[in-house]
Amino acid sequence: MNVKKLITLSLASLLTLSGSAAETLAASVDSTEVTKSTDTENDTERIQLVFEFQDGRISDQFESTLESLFPVDIVMDKVLSTNPYLRLKEELTHDMAPDFVLCEYIRRIEDDVLSEYFYDLGAESFVNNYYLSAIESCTSSDGGLYYIPGPSYVYGIVYDKTAFAKLGLTVPGNYSEFVKLIQDVDAMGLTGTEPDLNTAEVPVRSFVPTMRWRDMTQIIFNTMNYEDTFRGITNAKWLTDYQNGEGTMVGHMEAAAEKYLKLFDDGVLSLDLWDVIPGYRSRKLYDYHTSLMTIESQQAFEFNQVFNEEKPENQHEIGLMPIYTSDDPDSGYLYAIPRSFIGITGQGAADPAKLEALLRIMDYLSTPEGQKLLISGDDYFGFLKNDTSLNSDFYFIQRSRIRSAPDGSSLHSTLRATTTATL
């Protein structure tokens, strides 16, 4: 298990078509002209830039830090729209675009719109700071690079290391070993208490993901079927055709459905998991210790501390293992959901002074220090080479093969991990 892979996918399901709900365009800042202001203290001109961003995607110090490093005044335009994808598309096509976009939904914009209204970052030197797999996975079908990835949530199987050691359990190395681990734990007849809910003892369960959360269902389904259904040029073409209304599931998805149903036959999943809400799932692992494994991101470290702040003696050590999809020892995957992508619009690139400032900012955001401005918290996973500042124990080397969906609806990139991550 010393070699693992990472699948990075968008929040939307691989099989979900982009919505087109009608919506009134929210007020936007028209930045057709470069606005300059004078910094009286330093007697320098400052360029005004308009940044559009999603709430919760950036650090509280984002604006102040960039303004302290560069001669710019940043207007932060927070998206409050119920359909931000449609809002951005309308802004781009009606000369109301911001200069810089920091959001998740940029990936939903069609390639022809991106090529017309976004600046191609492909020739910029800071692109070399990123793993090639991450960059190629963001590359448009026309070869342009109109956005690059920000930090991501990385999901795997989080397990109770303290309980594993106490029970003499070992971390599995393939799918069959994972199934046997589940069967062995469930056969032990372990019990525990959940005092906030009832006083009776309840069975300790081996594996409790929260299938009631839609994204969890997608994570499991997409990861388990990645190799056979979503990986490779042929599958990427089918996916593109399907999302464009030109393809069908017939002849392609039957095997994926069968593999998903096998998870129930093997005891990995059960129907009652659809009744488990995320909060209860977390308490079972971190607080009550009535489950041994779940699927969670690197935020598990924070959650484990939060649930035990007032009773540190109750806190167990936790670890992360990959999601194994077969008995091939190289079939262990982590699943990453990028929190945001960043790009420069054609509006921002139209003026040389603005473009120079924006590229300097992009260069800074493509460093470990800059990446921390792109997430509202301490724990993140980035796609920068040799970034050893990560809070969690994720260290990756570049993989040798690239797999990406050309329509931008999913990011299929595989990175190999050099260590087993411990949270």
Side-chain angles (χ1 to χ4, degrees):
M1 203 184 62
N2 61 337
V3 176
K4 296 194 292 293
K5 300 177 180 178
L6 172 73
I7 307 173
T8 49
L9 301 162
S10 65
L11 273 171
S13 169
L14 288 176
L15 303 177
T16 301
L17 292 171
S18 297
S20 58
E23 178 183 347
T24 302
L25 180 64
S28 302
V29 179
D30 188 349
S31 55
T32 55
E33 297 183 358
V34 177
T35 302
K36 296 183 179 180
S37 60
T38 302
D39 185 335
T40 56
E41 182 178 348
N42 298 308
D43 196 27
T44 59
E45 287 188 334
R46 303 181 70 83
I47 298 174
Q48 186 177 86
L49 302 173
V50 180
F51 280 37
E52 180 170 305
F53 72 104
Q54 279 177 281
D55 193 21
R57 295 301 198 275
I58 58 175
S59 164
D60 293 338
Q61 285 75 47
F62 181 88
E63 180 181 0
S64 61
T65 299
L66 293 183
E67 289 183 340
S68 70
L69 293 172
F70 306 101
V72 297
D73 284 326
I74 297 176
V75 177
M76 300 299 292
D77 184 14
K78 182 166 68 173
V79 176
L80 300 176
S81 171
T82 57
N83 193 331
Y85 154 74
L86 182 58
R87 165 187 156 140
L88 177 58
K89 188 173 178 180
E90 290 291 325
E91 289 174 335
L92 292 169
T93 55
H94 290 81
D95 295 325
M96 297 183 292
D99 301 311
F100 185 95
V101 178
L102 194 158
C103 62
E104 183 273 328
Y105 48 83
I106 190 175
R107 296 185 56 82
R108 297 177 57 189
I109 297 177
E110 295 83 353
D111 282 357
D112 58 337
V113 178
L114 286 171
S115 64
E116 183 173 358
Y117 296 104
F118 273 82
Y119 177 77
D120 190 346
L121 302 166
E124 303 302 330
S125 60
F126 55 76
V127 171
N128 295 322
N129 295 354
Y130 295 84
Y131 288 110
L132 178 62
S133 55
I135 292 301
E136 293 208 3
S137 295
C138 289
T139 301
S140 179
S141 58
D142 66 357
L145 180 66
Y146 304 111
Y147 56 84
I148 53 181
S152 299
Y153 289 126
V154 179
Y155 290 84
I157 297 177
V158 174
Y159 67 101
D160 187 331
K161 292 185 71 174
T162 301
F164 265 53
K166 181 178 180 180
L167 297 172
L169 303 173
T170 58
V171 175
N174 56 47
Y175 176 75
S176 291
E177 291 180 6
F178 178 64
V179 172
K180 187 176 186 305
L181 172 65
I182 288 176
Q183 295 171 345
D184 289 346
V185 171
D186 290 342
M188 290 179 181
L190 303 172
T191 61
T193 59
E194 299 174 348
D196 295 339
L197 303 177
N198 56 67
T199 57
E201 290 193 341
V202 298
V204 173
R205 298 186 59 170
S206 54
F207 181 53
V208 184
T210 175
M211 305 303 291
R212 190 167 177 171
W213 181 40
R214 181 189 64 181
D215 288 347
M216 185 62 64
T217 302
Q218 294 172 2
I219 288 170
I220 294 176
F221 183 88
N222 294 339
T223 305
M224 293 302 299
N225 289 293
Y226 173 68
E227 288 280 355
D228 299 326
T229 304
F230 301 121
R231 184 177 184 178
I233 297 175
T234 301
N235 288 329
K237 184 180 185 304
W238 162 79
L239 179 60
T240 302
D241 291 342
Y242 177 84
Q243 292 183 323
N244 290 333
E246 300 171 357
T248 174
M249 290 188 186
V250 176
H252 197 97
M253 291 297 294
E254 293 86 349
E258 290 180 7
K259 189 166 186 178
Y260 190 65
L261 290 175
K262 189 176 186 297
L263 297 176
F264 292 86
D265 294 337
D266 291 342
V268 175
L269 299 180
S270 56
L271 290 177
D272 64 330
L273 293 175
W274 269 259
D275 295 326
V276 178
I277 63 175
Y280 179 54
R281 174 279 314 259
S282 298
R283 297 207 73 173
K284 286 183 72 67
L285 180 66
Y286 309 124
D287 186 3
Y288 302 140
H289 308 308
T290 54
S291 72
L292 269 63
M293 295 179 287
T294 190
I295 291 181
E296 185 56 89
S297 71
Q298 70 268 35
Q299 286 186 300
F301 176 77
E302 177 184 354
F303 297 156
N304 192 31
Q305 290 183 321
V306 168
F307 277 106
N308 293 285
E309 279 182 338
E310 298 181 0
K311 44 183 178 181
E313 70 283 354
N314 184 62
Q315 184 170 331
H316 285 193
E317 185 179 4
I318 58 176
L320 180 72
M321 69 176 80
I323 302 171
Y324 282 105
T325 62
S326 72
D327 284 348
D328 183 341
D330 198 30
S331 69
Y333 288 92
L334 299 176
Y335 185 107
I337 301 177
R339 289 175 51 84
S340 62
F341 300 90
I342 52 178
I344 298 173
T345 68
Q347 182 77 38
D351 182 273
K354 271 192 176 184
L355 179 58
E356 181 183 2
L358 289 166
L359 289 175
R360 290 180 63 194
I361 289 173
M362 288 285 279
D363 183 73
Y364 177 73
L365 293 177
S366 299
T367 66
E369 295 78 15
Q371 288 278 291
K372 292 177 182 179
L373 294 179
L374 298 176
I375 193 167
S376 55
D378 297 326
D379 210 12
Y380 76 100
F381 171 84
F383 293 101
L384 298 181
K385 301 174 185 175
N386 304 318
D387 182 2
T388 59
S389 66
L390 302 178
N391 189 4
S392 298
D393 204 9
F394 292 105
Y395 299 100
F396 291 84
I397 60 175
Q398 185 157 346
R399 70 183 181 90
S400 59
R401 293 174 293 178
I402 308 297
R403 297 292 184 268
S404 62
D407 67 338
S409 61
S410 60
L411 178 64
H412 290 176
S413 68
T414 304
L415 304 176
R416 299 182 182 274
T418 60
T419 65
T420 300
T422 300
L423 302 179

